[in-house]
Amino acid sequence: MLGELGRLDQSAQDVFGPYEKTLANGRRLSSVSAVLRAPDGEAAALPCVNLDRTPLEQAAAVLSSFCAPTTPRPKPLFEQDWNERVQYIVGAYVRECGRPVERLTRTDRLTLLARLQEAKVFTVRRAGPAVAAALRVSRSTLYGLLAELRTPESRTPRHDPSA
């Protein structure tokens, strides 16, 4: 093949690829070839690097299987797992509103806490720190939001008669 390369124009492309090659056994390779030239510009060597794509394709198949539609979560495994319930509710809300948990507004957090309260997450001892971690807020911020949620009148501005 080097004889054929000798006929290449010196200004021609010297690196080819990545391009696909297929072996007789059906395995696919990704290949890159480069023309190495002598000081006079003539083609002197043609190294070719081949990468067997089989392991990469197998890994891609495994990864894509995790992205495929799944069966519903098995209820007996998760109905008593309050921490999993927290993660599930927070994750669903984040997907619903299209913002990461760090960018949730105060109203978003109150809505989310109402959903967690409805799911009876706060009846579990030590749920507060886990919820605060899931929401990426401090415990004091969490307890302040919970107090606000539990006393709706504190959310509406009061009319000050002296004003």
Side-chain angles (χ1 to χ4, degrees):
M1 182 153 183
L2 278 177
E4 295 170 7
L5 290 176
R7 289 184 286 218
L8 283 177
D9 181 355
Q10 289 186 7
S11 64
Q13 171 183 350
D14 283 347
V15 178
F16 301 90
Y19 55 90
E20 186 176 323
K21 287 173 50 175
T22 305
L23 299 178
N25 64 6
R27 290 191 333 201
R28 296 180 341 161
L29 304 176
S30 288
S31 301
V32 176
S33 299
V35 178
L36 300 181
R37 298 188 179 274
D40 65 359
E42 292 296 317
L46 180 67
C48 183
V49 177
N50 296 306
L51 173 69
D52 184 352
R53 294 169 44 161
T54 306
L56 298 175
E57 289 168 348
Q58 290 169 340
V62 168
L63 290 173
S64 68
S65 71
F66 279 104
C67 296
T70 60
T71 59
R73 296 178 340 145
K75 220 174 189 172
L77 293 179
F78 297 104
E79 63 188 16
Q80 298 300 318
D81 188 347
W82 65 271
N83 198 25
E84 181 68 26
R85 198 173 328 143
V86 169
Q87 298 301 318
Y88 183 79
I89 292 169
V90 172
Y93 188 83
V94 164
R95 283 188 304 280
E96 180 183 314
C97 72
R99 285 187 304 280
V101 74
E102 297 85 4
R103 296 194 54 214
L104 294 178
T105 65
R106 181 176 199 81
T107 304
D108 289 330
R109 288 190 176 107
L110 288 168
T111 301
L112 190 46
L113 288 175
R115 290 181 185 183
L116 291 166
Q117 193 165 7
E118 187 178 305
K120 301 189 183 331
V121 167
F122 296 106
T123 61
V124 178
R125 187 175 172 194
R126 301 196 196 287
V131 171
L135 294 179
R136 311 256 195 326
V137 297
S138 69
R139 287 188 311 184
S140 62
T141 298
L142 173 72
Y143 294 128
L145 289 167
L146 282 172
E148 184 175 337
L149 182 67
R150 291 172 180 157
T151 55
E153 62 275 0
S154 69
R155 283 187 273 165
T156 57
R158 294 186 182 149
H159 176 67
D160 183 1
S162 64

